[in-house]
């Protein structure tokens, strides 16, 4: 709710200046907050804790590396006009596939459980940064700490 409120405030300022609003989806990198999704998933795999996901491999995400977010923002500086920009990575991946990549990197078998919820598309397939001059290319390699 607070993100939407902030967007509405900024939209009201468009007549005074060009405004870019960046909506980030599943950002990761070496300086990630320990309570964000990737570190929490890695911790659960490492500690061999149950990871409960929605049906059909869980929610769908577009993880994006932090350096790619910076490139999107830098590219946006060259654009004129205001825009709302959805910022996601180059691939759509399920929570289960994300966990399997993490587990492969850790060489640990993950423990999955499934609930009755339908998966949510956190970043839809048509989220391809239509409004930017830079398209992310880095795919998640199984470690949220990966550097670029």
């Amino acid at each position: 709710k607070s993100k939407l409120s902030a967007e509405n405030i900024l939209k009201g300022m468009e007549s005074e200046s060009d405004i870019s609003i960046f909506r980030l989806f599943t950002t990761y990198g070496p300086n990630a907050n320990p309570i964000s999704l990737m570190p929490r998933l890695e911790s659960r795999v490492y500690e061999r804790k149950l990871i409960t996901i929605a049906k059909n491999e869980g929610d769908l995400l577009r993880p994006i590396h932090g350096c790619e977010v910076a490139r999107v923002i830098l590219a946006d500086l060259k654009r004129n006009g205001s825009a709302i920009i959805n910022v996601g990575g180059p691939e759509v991946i399920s929570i289960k596939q994300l966990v399997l990549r993490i587990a492969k990197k850790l060489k640990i078998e993950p423990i999955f459980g499934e609930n009755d919820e339908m998966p949510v598309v956190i970043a839809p397939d048509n989220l391809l940064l239509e409004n930017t001059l830079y398209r992310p290319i880095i795919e998640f390699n199984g470690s949220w700490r990966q550097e670029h």
Side-chain angles (χ1 to χ4, degrees):
K1 186 176 177 178
S2 61
K3 289 180 186 180
L4 185 58
S5 296
E7 280 186 20
N8 289 330
I9 290 169
L10 289 173
K11 284 181 198 173
M13 299 169 63
E14 281 181 320
S15 62
E16 300 169 29
S17 180
D18 291 343
I19 303 287
S20 293
I21 297 171
F22 298 93
R23 295 177 177 162
L24 307 180
F25 293 92
T26 320
T27 304
Y28 66 93
N31 296 314
N33 186 328
I35 63 168
S36 63
L37 179 64
M38 301 290 201
R40 283 184 304 141
L41 289 175
E42 182 184 79
S43 175
R44 292 194 74 78
V45 171
Y46 184 77
E47 295 169 8
R48 292 175 170 78
K49 291 184 176 177
L50 177 69
I51 299 168
T52 305
I53 58 174
K55 294 179 180 181
N56 304 323
E57 298 201 357
D59 298 344
L60 297 176
L61 311 169
R62 275 194 183 271
I64 183 166
H65 194 280
C67 72
E68 296 271 66
V69 173
R71 290 180 184 129
V72 168
I73 293 169
L74 287 173
D76 185 68
L77 294 173
K78 299 174 186 171
R79 189 180 41 73
N80 292 319
S82 296
I84 294 176
I85 302 165
N86 293 320
V87 183
E91 65 179 332
V92 176
I93 184 169
S94 69
I95 292 279
K96 184 172 186 177
Q97 291 304 313
L98 200 65
V99 170
L100 289 172
R101 286 187 194 177
I102 292 168
K104 183 176 180 182
K105 206 67 147 167
L106 295 174
K107 298 181 172 103
I108 298 172
E109 191 68 32
I111 302 168
F112 289 107
E114 190 177 277
N115 61 31
D116 292 333
E117 295 176 16
M118 292 304 294
V120 176
V121 179
I122 306 296
D125 195 34
N126 64 356
L127 181 68
L128 295 174
L129 305 176
E130 301 88 3
N131 295 330
T132 68
L133 302 173
Y134 176 80
R135 293 187 189 276
I137 57 172
I138 300 170
E139 293 186 356
F140 180 67
N141 73 0
S143 173
W144 60 270
R145 295 178 180 92
Q146 71 191 62
E147 303 248 356
H148 286 280

